[in-house]
Structures are given as C-alpha cells and as structure tokens.
Amino acid sequence: VCVSNGVYLNPSESEVQQLIINGVREIVSNYNVDGIHYDDYFYPTQSEEFDKASYVAYTNENAFPLELASWRRLNVDLLLSGTYNAIKHIKRDVIFSVSPAASVENNFQSLYADVRTWVDNGFVDAIIPQLYFGFDYPDDSFKFETLLKLWQDVCALNPDVKLYIGLAFYKSKPTLSADIPEWQQNGDIIKRQVELLDGNENADGYVYFSYSSLTSNEAEFKTQRESLTDYLKKRD
C-alpha cells in the first residue's frame, strides 16, 4: 500500500503476517541470535482508505465483524503472537521484544498497538517503550517520569514480561523546539534518567538510542556521555 511517499505491507493480510513470521523463522533457525526485535511501526495511518478493501472483505465474511479500529488491533496482535509462537517453537531461549512509541494511549488509538494486551497475554518477552523525553517536556503527559509510571502500570499486568526503558541519547543534540531548552541547558539528563531507573525495582534495565549518538565526539554527545560515565563508574 502506498501512503505518504512510502510503500507498506498491509498488516491485515494473512499473507503479509506469514511473510514476516517466516522471515523470523528463517533467522532463528539458521543464525545464532539472542533475540528478535520489532520497532514501533505498525499502522502508518488512521485513514480508512489504507486497508479499505481488506476490511470490506472481512466484514462480508463475518456476521458480527469488529469495528475498524478493533480489527486493526487484532491484526497486530495476531502478528505479534504468531511471531512469539514461531520463535519459541524453534528456540525457547531466543527473546522476542518490541519497542512501542512512548504514549500508551497513542499506541492504542493511532498505531493500533494494544500494548496492554501484548503484555497481559505474554505475546512478548520484553517491552522497550521509547521514552524519548526529558523531565521538563512542555506537555506534562510526556514528561519522563509520567510516562515511566504508565509503563510500570502496563507491565504490572504480567511480571514475566521485562520492562526496559528506551533512552534518547540522540536528543543530546536536540532539533525540535519542545526539546531544545531542556537538552541544551542540561548535560546530565541521560545520567539522571539512568540513576532514576537504577533505583526503580519495576524497571529491568534501559536501552540507549542510538549507538551513533552514544559514540559521537560532538560536544553535546560527549557532555551527556561523560556525565553518564562518571555516574556508572561511581555506581559500580
């Protein structure tokens, strides 16, 4: 499906789901990997036109069809549960993780990613929400600690699912107006986030995005890295 200058596989089609799951099977069967990881992109648009033909076919085949949004969430659920089962059938110790966007509600409403269902039903081994925001973000609902609390509540549904927090090392050199004041004025945001997570018994760890930012020698990245390194040395 062509949308916004991109070409997308349609998540509603069983052939698409099988194509992706078969790709995962190939990797897990033939390569010594520790895990399979999905990023946060599920449905690229809320437009009804995106999968209209598929949805019409579905409603014609079912006496009591789901409404569009619920049907889309079910399609994503089937992809994730199918991926999990395929992995575990081949190698039980290979981890399956997903990195959804920061907002639990936006995932549900806009991307049709029902993260609560994934966790509650154990469709993943680990979830890595992208909490790519600072402590003083202008929108209170996206402040780091607010988002962290929401994801802790999600993962409380199933203690077998690990919660790792995605941290925005790339924002050391911010480009968006909402990020610029805080990130330009504070060279220790990542360090303070790691310190907070280290003291949080409900968080199992954290993931830095991205590697190129973490290793960059540009001044902004070096400042955040040196602050973090000093803390980690003292902690250890």
Side-chain angles (χ1 to χ4, degrees):
V1 183
C2 295
V3 177
S4 302
N5 298 319
V7 181
Y8 295 86
L9 295 172
N10 183 350
S12 68
E13 295 295 331
S14 59
E15 292 88 350
V16 165
Q17 296 175 20
Q18 203 57 55
L19 174 70
I20 296 170
I21 292 170
N22 284 344
V24 170
R25 284 197 183 99
E26 179 182 353
I27 294 168
V28 176
S29 297
N30 297 313
Y31 301 91
N32 185 27
V33 296
D34 297 309
I36 295 292
H37 180 68
Y38 284 173
D39 211 342
D40 68 326
Y41 303 103
F42 301 102
Y43 274 85
T45 178
Q46 293 176 268
S47 170
E48 293 182 4
E49 295 301 315
F50 175 77
D51 50 5
K52 185 175 182 179
S54 301
Y55 185 61
V56 169
Y58 159 76
T59 57
N60 289 339
E61 294 168 0
N62 290 271
F64 303 99
L66 296 170
E67 52 87 23
L68 179 62
S70 296
W71 174 72
R72 285 177 169 177
R73 292 184 196 105
L74 176 61
N75 293 329
V76 177
D77 291 348
L78 291 172
L79 173 61
L80 264 68
S81 61
T83 300
Y84 180 89
N85 290 333
I87 292 170
K88 300 307 176 180
H89 180 73
I90 300 168
K91 290 181 182 176
R92 293 292 305 176
D93 60 343
V94 170
I95 300 300
F96 178 42
S97 61
V98 179
S99 183
S103 169
V104 174
E105 191 62 25
N106 285 354
N107 277 300
F108 188 82
Q109 297 292 350
S110 301
L111 298 176
Y112 308 99
D114 187 355
V115 296
R116 292 185 179 91
T117 290
W118 304 350
V119 171
D120 194 23
N121 289 279
F123 293 167
V124 295
D125 294 303
I127 201 154
I128 311 172
Q130 299 175 7
L131 303 198
Y132 296 166
F133 299 87
F135 294 98
D136 301 320
Y137 194 76
D139 183 340
D140 288 345
S141 64
F142 279 85
K143 283 181 165 60
F144 182 79
E145 290 174 285
T146 301
L147 292 168
L148 177 59
K149 175 62 167 61
L150 290 173
W151 283 99
Q152 288 176 184
D153 292 343
V154 170
C155 285
L157 296 169
N158 186 346
D160 291 332
V161 175
K162 300 293 186 182
L163 173 62
Y164 303 110
I165 303 301
L167 301 179
F169 220 100
Y170 75 99
K171 283 194 175 179
S172 303
K173 190 174 182 179
T175 58
L176 300 178
S177 58
D179 296 316
I180 288 173
E182 181 180 9
W183 288 85
Q184 281 189 345
Q185 295 169 21
N186 297 276
D188 64 346
I189 294 174
I190 299 296
K191 172 258 183 185
R192 285 188 285 132
Q193 290 177 338
V194 168
E195 189 173 20
L196 177 65
L197 294 171
D198 280 346
N200 189 322
E201 62 181 12
N202 297 308
D204 297 288
Y206 33 85
V207 177
Y208 305 122
F209 182 81
S210 66
Y211 182 79
S212 61
S213 301
L214 183 66
T215 58
S216 173
N217 284 321
E218 291 188 64
E220 298 88 347
F221 299 111
K222 287 181 66 177
T223 299
Q224 291 283 348
R225 183 172 65 245
E226 288 168 0
S227 174
L228 173 63
T229 301
D230 288 344
Y231 164 71
L232 294 177
K233 286 180 177 178
K234 291 176 182 176
R235 182 199 67 182
D236 295 339

